[in-house]
Amino acid sequence: MTKMSKKKAAILQAATALFATKGFADTHMSELSSVTGAAEGTIFYHFKNKEHILLTILSDTKVSIVDEFNAHMDDREFETGMEMMEEVVAFYLLFAGRMEYQFLILHSLFIYRLAESRAEFRDNLEAIYDCLVTFFEQAIIKGQEDGSIGDVNPRKSALIVFTMVDGLVRFKNFNLYDAGALFNELIDSVRRMLKPN
Amino acid sequence: MTKMSKKKAAILQAATALFATKGFADTHMSELSSVTGAAEGTIFYHFKNKEHILLTILSDTKVSIVDEFNAHMDDREFETGMEMMEEVVAFYLLFAGRMEYQFLILHSLFIYRLAESRAEFRDNLEAIYDCLVTFFEQAIIKGQEDGSIGDVNPRKSALIVFTMVDGLVRFKNFNLYDAGALFNELIDSVRRMLKPN
DNA sequence: TTTCCGACTGAGTGCTCAGTCGGTTTTTTT
DNA sequence: AAAAAAACCGACTGAGCACTCAGTCGGAAA
């Protein structure tokens, strides 16, 4: 990350929290200005418009997710694919907790509406999902080689597991119930789902 | 449903589609007016404000979900809890497809923001989720009695299964990938997850 | 026939908002 | 130290917004 003015960084950080909690349309530049102490003019000096702030956040989020997942997984070796799967799930939940605002934005409708019409948004979203699903898939493939995971379609099962884990994160972020309380249940479920019969 | 003026029904229907696809804040009364052919004044004659339209939609959705699930499940008998679970999953996916706009709204951030501050919204959402999770839970309990489902925590496992199914619906509605293509995989996963070992 | 009422109308209103602009301050370069 | 560039400021603008209101209309009750 190249160095960035204090104000610009503050604007991005505040916008991330506000977009996540209030939504895009309901977050006003005046608010962003008062929260960060930057004048409205300053915001438009750094970003050509409101949408561009969101795109920057999404792009930064993509970089964080792709980099951190790769770094975390490269760091360690796994005996079995099933172990790797458990680690992917655990790291996903941990990471989503650390990046709560970013994941809230990823779970928001407005980002998908933009993705439909704007390639810059779509590309970032696709990169994020592809990276994540691929990790789940790799674990399944590895597990099928070493016998720790049964004979399932790797991509499809990866999507199902991803759906479960991501759904739990969403429920937690939407305050429906606490994902942490279901962690053990989730890991058990994944194990039962994937183990050879 | 008591009889309702043509215009009012048209406003509700159009608002459901617009709120679902464009979001609440990005749907303007002028649009609702031009789409339905009702004057803006007419909209405010039937609903005291924009939020009240959303509340009416949510409340109608709650009634539909609770009624239709109860009706569908009361209609049939199941040999085993596992069969019942499969039917709940299948009906959930079918129903979510039929009520795509309503489910999109249920998956939108704005509804949860309103639920935080407004009891009218919170109560409807809670009733919907409670009804749905309880069906999954009942299937598990029945399955544990007849031996078709293993020894898991019924409520927690119901939440996990609900997470999977609802997550799939969300992914489909957000155009991430087609839930239909994963239907068989999903049913298999649920079966493996819950079967006695 | 008159009265009344619910459904409906659309121009009008005041306000909120994203974005602009002319200028100042701070930092970097020479 | 001077000049240039980058960062910052906040009053201002005008478009667009939710909502209002005085009034029309058709049909049912009195």
Side-chain angles (χ1 to χ4, degrees):
Chain A
M1 188 80 63
T2 121
K3 74 179 165 188
M4 186 191 294
S5 84
K6 278 270 147 83
K7 286 275 158 93
K8 186 174 181 182
I11 292 164
L12 277 175
Q13 204 191 333
T16 305
L18 287 170
F19 289 165
T21 51
K22 311 193 58 178
F24 183 68
D26 284 334
T27 297
H28 311 303
M29 306 312 277
S30 57
E31 225 175 337
L32 212 40
S33 165
S34 68
V35 166
T36 58
E40 289 198 39
T42 305
I43 300 176
F44 288 97
Y45 169 76
H46 288 297
F47 304 94
K48 71 172 193 293
N49 54 34
K50 192 179 173 184
E51 207 173 80
H52 184 232
I53 303 178
L54 181 61
L55 180 59
T56 306
I57 291 171
L58 180 60
S59 169
D60 288 356
T61 300
K62 180 201 72 183
V63 172
S64 292
I65 290 179
V66 173
D67 287 359
E68 293 221 30
F69 263 81
N70 279 314
H72 185 88
M73 292 300 154
D74 281 0
D75 257 22
R76 55 210 75 200
E77 285 300 314
F78 304 96
E79 291 279 313
T80 65
M82 186 63 95
E83 273 177 38
M84 179 175 169
M85 174 58 81
E86 287 175 25
E87 184 62 28
V88 176
V89 171
F91 186 63
Y92 191 90
L93 291 175
L94 182 80
F95 189 68
R98 262 197 355 242
M99 312 259 292
E100 186 183 343
Y101 293 138
Q102 282 87 345
F103 275 78
L104 263 166
I105 290 173
L106 287 176
H107 287 150
S108 290
L109 179 62
F110 58 80
I111 212 96
Y112 296 94
R113 282 198 53 232
L114 281 166
E116 273 168 30
S117 53
R118 309 282 305 279
E120 313 94 284
F121 286 86
R122 193 167 52 245
D123 293 347
N124 280 301
L125 278 174
E126 271 173 15
I128 289 170
Y129 284 109
D130 185 64
C131 167
L132 293 172
V133 175
T134 300
F135 273 114
F136 288 102
E137 190 182 9
Q138 281 169 351
I140 293 177
I141 291 169
K142 181 178 166 70
Q144 288 176 334
E145 280 161 10
D146 63 39
S148 62
I149 288 180
D151 183 31
V152 295
N153 179 312
R155 187 75 185 176
K156 287 185 177 180
S157 290
L159 281 166
I160 300 268
V161 175
F162 175 59
T163 296
M164 284 170 70
V165 181
D166 193 61
L168 214 59
V169 168
R170 187 183 141 259
F171 283 163
K172 180 187 173 218
N173 285 346
F174 280 12
N175 287 319
L176 287 174
Y177 48 78
D178 183 21
L182 291 176
F183 179 76
N184 291 331
E185 212 71 22
L186 177 70
I187 292 279
D188 278 357
S189 299
V190 172
R191 204 182 286 123
R192 280 197 302 273
M193 228 182 86
L194 296 176
K195 76 162 186 244
N197 38 13
Chain B
M1 187 79 64
T2 122
K3 73 181 166 189
M4 186 191 296
S5 85
K6 277 269 147 75
K7 287 272 159 91
K8 185 173 182 183
I11 292 164
L12 277 175
Q13 203 191 334
T16 305
L18 287 170
F19 290 164
T21 52
K22 311 193 60 180
F24 183 68
D26 285 332
T27 296
H28 310 302
M29 308 310 277
S30 57
E31 225 175 335
L32 211 40
S33 164
S34 68
V35 166
T36 57
E40 286 199 39
T42 307
I43 302 174
F44 288 96
Y45 168 76
H46 288 296
F47 304 95
K48 72 173 192 289
N49 55 33
K50 194 179 171 184
E51 208 173 79
H52 184 231
I53 303 177
L54 180 61
L55 180 58
T56 306
I57 292 171
L58 181 60
S59 170
D60 288 356
T61 299
K62 181 201 72 183
V63 172
S64 292
I65 290 179
V66 172
D67 287 358
E68 294 220 28
F69 263 80
N70 279 314
H72 184 88
M73 292 300 154
D74 282 358
D75 258 20
R76 55 211 77 202
E77 285 299 313
F78 304 98
E79 291 280 312
T80 66
M82 185 64 94
E83 270 175 41
M84 179 176 171
M85 173 58 81
E86 287 175 26
E87 184 62 27
V88 175
V89 171
F91 185 63
Y92 191 90
L93 291 175
L94 181 80
F95 189 67
R98 258 190 6 234
M99 311 258 293
E100 186 183 343
Y101 293 138
Q102 283 86 345
F103 275 78
L104 263 166
I105 290 173
L106 287 177
H107 288 149
S108 288
L109 178 62
F110 57 80
I111 213 97
Y112 297 95
R113 283 199 52 232
L114 281 166
E116 273 167 31
S117 53
R118 308 282 304 278
E120 312 94 283
F121 286 88
R122 192 168 53 245
D123 293 347
N124 280 301
L125 278 175
E126 270 172 17
I128 290 171
Y129 283 109
D130 185 63
C131 167
L132 293 172
V133 174
T134 300
F135 273 115
F136 288 102
E137 190 182 9
Q138 282 168 350
I140 293 176
I141 291 170
K142 181 178 165 72
Q144 287 176 336
E145 280 161 11
D146 63 40
S148 61
I149 288 179
D151 183 32
V152 294
N153 179 311
R155 187 74 183 178
K156 286 186 178 181
S157 290
L159 281 166
I160 299 266
V161 174
F162 176 59
T163 297
M164 284 170 70
V165 182
D166 192 60
L168 215 59
V169 168
R170 190 184 141 256
F171 283 163
K172 181 189 173 216
N173 285 346
F174 280 14
N175 286 319
L176 286 174
Y177 49 78
D178 182 22
L182 291 176
F183 179 74
N184 291 330
E185 213 71 22
L186 177 70
I187 291 281
D188 278 356
S189 299
V190 172
R191 205 181 287 122
R192 279 198 302 273
M193 229 183 86
L194 296 177
K195 75 162 184 243
N197 39 13

